[in-house]
Amino acid sequence: MRTRTTIPRSVIADVEQRVRRLCEDLAAKLQFHGWHHVSFVRDKAVHFAGRNGAAADVVEVAALVHDLNYMVRRNSLPTDGEALRRKVLFVSGVCIGDIEWVERIVVEAEMRTRHRDISLEAQALSDADTLFKALPVTPVVLAHKYLQENGITLRELAYKIVGEQVGKADDGYYFYDDEAAATYTKWAEVNLSLWRCIVESLDDPCVEDLLTKVVS
């Protein structure tokens, strides 16, 4: 394993300040992926990194920039935010090697493509981001904000969640950290069951007609 210097706290603080400023400037556009999401994922990712032995400093930086793609284009993928991530990290003073590492972590932790054997750093970021999705309050308070932010329909979101997440839950790596799995799996199961029911309900013409009347 290569020897590396920990990212200084002053550099991490600069990354945080820049990302927070971007979130605040674009608050009207980032109803779901705003600073409330970024700060939650950052705090939880650092916690999980402390448990699994990952490089907590790199995980923290990755968590701060993991959703910058939504500032570039709505309903986008992590790769769409690469140029902005690299710019923010470079001007904040993150070394090139760690910028490359952060980029790998962000891409590796993406829900759509992540697999059982991702790195410890990506596991910590993934568990934090996945927990935000699985929170009992998310479908109640935040799901409609996701729809508005990304310009998609409820049907598209329901199929996205079921298609991307159910298989990982069934295969036993919805959460990587044992503590997270033990604590939050019940939330995830209820959340995924809800979205499966939503998918089923949308096949009822009466439900579809109802939604056209109440959803603008």
Side-chain angles (χ1 to χ4, degrees):
M1 181 178 293
R2 68 188 178 94
T3 302
R4 58 175 294 269
T5 302
T6 302
I7 301 174
R9 288 307 312 173
S10 59
V11 172
I12 297 176
D14 193 78
V15 174
E16 177 179 345
Q17 182 181 39
R18 292 176 188 278
V19 172
R20 183 165 189 167
R21 187 180 303 127
L22 284 169
C23 287
E24 291 171 348
D25 289 345
L26 298 170
K29 293 174 57 178
L30 300 174
Q31 298 181 54
F32 186 91
H33 292 104
W35 181 247
H36 58 282
H37 171 77
V38 174
S39 59
F40 178 94
V41 172
R42 184 269 308 274
D43 292 347
K44 288 295 185 179
V46 170
H47 171 75
F48 292 133
R51 284 181 48 79
N52 74 3
D57 56 324
V58 179
V59 169
E60 183 171 3
V61 171
L64 286 168
V65 300
H66 79 285
D67 275 339
L68 291 190
N69 54 290
Y70 292 103
M71 301 182 185
V72 176
R73 183 166 63 85
R74 66 193 324 202
N75 197 28
S76 58
L77 298 173
T79 49
D80 295 312
E82 179 177 356
L84 180 56
R85 276 195 300 275
R86 288 180 180 275
K87 178 181 179 180
V88 168
L89 297 178
F90 182 77
V91 297
S92 293
V94 179
C95 72
I96 298 300
D98 286 338
I99 291 175
E100 298 293 342
W101 194 1
V102 166
E103 189 62 29
R104 291 195 299 272
I105 292 168
V106 170
V107 173
E108 204 178 4
E110 160 64 13
M111 173 65 81
R112 184 176 59 90
T113 53
R114 68 177 173 87
H115 52 83
R116 188 184 299 275
D117 299 316
I118 62 177
S119 67
L120 293 177
E121 288 75 22
Q123 287 181 26
L125 174 57
S126 175
D127 279 350
D129 201 25
T130 298
L131 175 56
F132 188 88
K133 296 176 174 68
L135 290 173
V137 298
T138 295
V140 178
V141 178
L142 295 168
H144 72 287
K145 294 182 180 294
Y146 188 98
L147 298 178
Q148 293 169 1
E149 176 185 310
N150 289 286
I152 63 175
T153 65
L154 179 62
R155 182 184 295 274
E156 289 172 321
L157 177 57
Y159 274 94
K160 172 182 172 66
I161 291 172
V162 172
E164 293 181 358
Q165 299 183 32
V166 169
K168 294 171 178 63
D170 290 344
D171 290 341
Y173 62 96
Y174 193 76
F175 292 110
Y176 296 93
D177 181 83
D178 289 341
E179 176 197 58
T183 306
Y184 305 121
T185 292
K186 61 182 179 181
W187 293 356
E189 289 173 346
V190 171
N191 183 64
L192 293 177
S193 179
L194 170 64
W195 285 105
R196 282 195 295 262
C197 289
I198 291 173
V199 168
E200 293 173 6
S201 73
L202 293 175
D203 289 332
D204 186 326
C206 292
V207 173
E208 187 170 16
D209 182 58
L210 170 67
L211 289 176
T212 62
K213 294 174 179 175
V214 298
V215 179
S216 57

